[in-house]
Amino acid sequence: MIDKPDIDERSLAAEVAAAWAVDVTDLVFLPLGLDGDAWAYRVETSGERYFLKVRRGRFTPAAVLLPGFLRAHGVRQVVAPIDLPAGSTSRAFGGYELLLYPFHDGGSRWARGLTDRQWIEYGEFLGRLHAVPPSDDIAAVLPVETYRSTAGDRLRSLGAQAAASEVLGAFWDRYGAALHRLSETVDRLASRVTHARHVICHADIHPGNLIADGDGPLHVVDWDAPILAPPERDLMFVYSQDFGDHPIDAHRAELFRRGYGPQEPDQTLLSYYRGERHLDDAAAFVRSILDPDASPEARANDLHWLTRIAETVADPSYAP
């Protein structure tokens, strides 16, 4: 989120120092991500840097437990939260919860793209992830795919407010019908999907959640919403043209397959997940823009991404 939370940062820094037994020298807000209930900080200490994630309410048990489980099973790209000295992982802080992670330099690959070597590693990572069988404890906390999206209902519930909004009225006049058609398309696709084997999926594995310094190793972040679902839940981000400034082409697809291994994704599942993601993001952005507490900067940022989605969906050639 690009707006700061209503948190006293001195108290937050003191909480982090006490909870993780680190000498915090500075706390720097990072305007990252599009989740309206989560915020990021860089934590400076006398010796190390860390990445702090703050969530309103609580993290899901899967977000807390799965990354460490995967690292223990050899999926080295996973960035897992650091345990507290007392043995647990997360820390409550008023109406928020905190997770502390190692900090990795280089930034995301959304704008810069992946090198050839990193495309192979991207495939290797997803191949390993999808091959790890969940333990009983992990399976118990992971949501399971149902193909029953709530995004269309959420968007419809906001339609009248959006149409009457000073900020979104013109947008809704232009794109509202296309978004409603997308909702119907997603419902149709959901009725056609073939229920396939389920694997552990990251569920948001676009280049914005791949961190690397130059051609260095990939570090995979943002494990907030993993799910047991068909591999296509993750492969959609690989094969769609919507995520990142340097999407896949024939050469990159071959590099990815070299890492992942032979696979022929189900096209109906890919279409369902692409359309559902567009619909879910649109509903989230409309809600954020209509939030009376949002800053002008946050509204402008959300409207940029919402318009980008709507232009894609409204294009006559669009087919998820």
Side-chain angles (χ1 to χ4, degrees), residues 147 182 185-190 192-193 232-233 235-237 239-240 242 265-279 318-320:
Y147 309 104
L182 175 61
T185 298
V186 168
D187 288 343
R188 284 197 303 272
L189 287 167
R192 290 171 44 204
V193 297
E232 285 84 356
R233 181 67 182 86
L235 294 175
M236 180 274 292
F237 292 98
Y239 288 104
S240 170
D242 305 308
D266 182 290
Q267 294 304 311
T268 300
L269 279 169
L270 289 180
S271 294
Y272 168 77
Y273 283 124
R274 184 186 183 216
E276 199 279 334
R277 177 56 183 252
H278 282 152
L279 195 63
Y318 176 79

Side-chain angles (χ1 to χ4, degrees), residues 54-177:
V54 179
R55 174 163 290 281
R56 182 186 288 120
R58 296 291 179 259
F59 291 95
T60 66
V64 176
L65 299 174
L66 179 63
F69 170 81
L70 292 172
R71 283 196 65 87
H73 283 74
V75 191
R76 59 181 173 75
Q77 292 89 354
V78 174
V79 178
I82 299 168
D83 287 340
L84 294 154
S88 59
T89 304
S90 62
R91 177 78 165 195
F93 178 66
Y96 302 87
E97 193 167 30
L98 313 178
L99 287 174
L100 191 69
Y101 298 84
F103 188 92
H104 293 283
D105 291 317
S108 88
R109 310 312 295 178
W110 184 279
R112 285 170 287 184
L114 302 175
T115 65
D116 283 2
R117 190 204 64 76
Q118 288 168 342
W119 271 103
I120 296 172
E121 187 183 356
Y122 190 13
E124 290 172 346
F125 159 72
L126 278 178
R128 289 194 189 108
L129 173 66
H130 294 165
V132 174
S135 67
D136 290 344
D137 289 345
I138 292 297
V141 299
L142 280 171
V144 179
E145 179 61 82
T146 64
Y147 309 104
R148 292 194 293 269
S149 173
T150 64
D153 288 340
R154 286 186 283 119
L155 191 64
R156 281 188 288 272
S157 72
L158 295 167
Q161 189 179 354
S165 163
E166 182 178 344
V167 179
L168 282 177
F171 168 88
W172 200 255
D173 286 344
R174 184 172 184 180
Y175 296 114

Side-chain angles (χ1 to χ4, degrees), residues 254-266:
E254 175 57 32
L255 295 171
F256 178 83
R257 284 192 293 269
R258 195 183 305 174
Y260 189 92
Q263 36 87 17
E264 292 187 17
D266 182 290

